[in-house]
Amino acid sequence: MKASEIKGLTAEEIIDKVSVLRSELQKLELTHVVSPIENPMKIRHTRRDIARLLTILRQKQETEK
C-alpha cells in the first residue's frame, strides 16, 4: 500500500485497515512459527504497511488540531 493511497482515506478507514492488518500479521506470525510460510517477506511488508498507516493517521490528527 502506497502513502498516496493512504492519504486519500479517512481516519476511520485507516483505523479499520490497521485493525485488519494487525490480525493478518498475527495469523502470519503464528503460521510461520508452526511451519515456515512460503513468503516470509510478507510479514515484513505487513508490519511496514501498519507503520505507514499509523504515521499518516498521526499526521492527519495533528493537522486537525
Side-chain angles (χ1 to χ4, degrees):
M1 178 167 269
K2 295 185 178 183
S4 59
E5 296 172 357
I6 299 170
K7 289 180 182 178
L9 300 174
T10 64
E12 293 82 23
E13 291 172 333
I14 293 174
I15 293 169
D16 291 339
K17 199 158 256 317
V18 167
S19 65
V20 168
L21 285 175
R22 280 185 174 159
S23 65
E24 181 181 331
L25 178 63
Q26 189 176 18
K27 289 177 188 175
L28 282 171
E29 289 175 339
L30 182 63
T31 304
H32 188 62
V33 168
V34 174
S35 65
I37 57 176
E38 189 173 310
N39 186 4
M41 291 299 290
K42 189 162 175 65
I43 294 172
R44 180 186 291 181
H45 292 299
T46 305
R47 277 199 325 255
R48 289 185 179 178
D49 283 342
I50 292 170
R52 243 183 242 112
L53 285 163
L54 292 174
T55 300
I56 293 175
L57 178 63
R58 192 167 297 119
Q59 288 173 351
K60 284 185 179 226
Q61 290 173 342
E62 286 183 6
T63 57
E64 290 176 357
K65 290 182 179 178

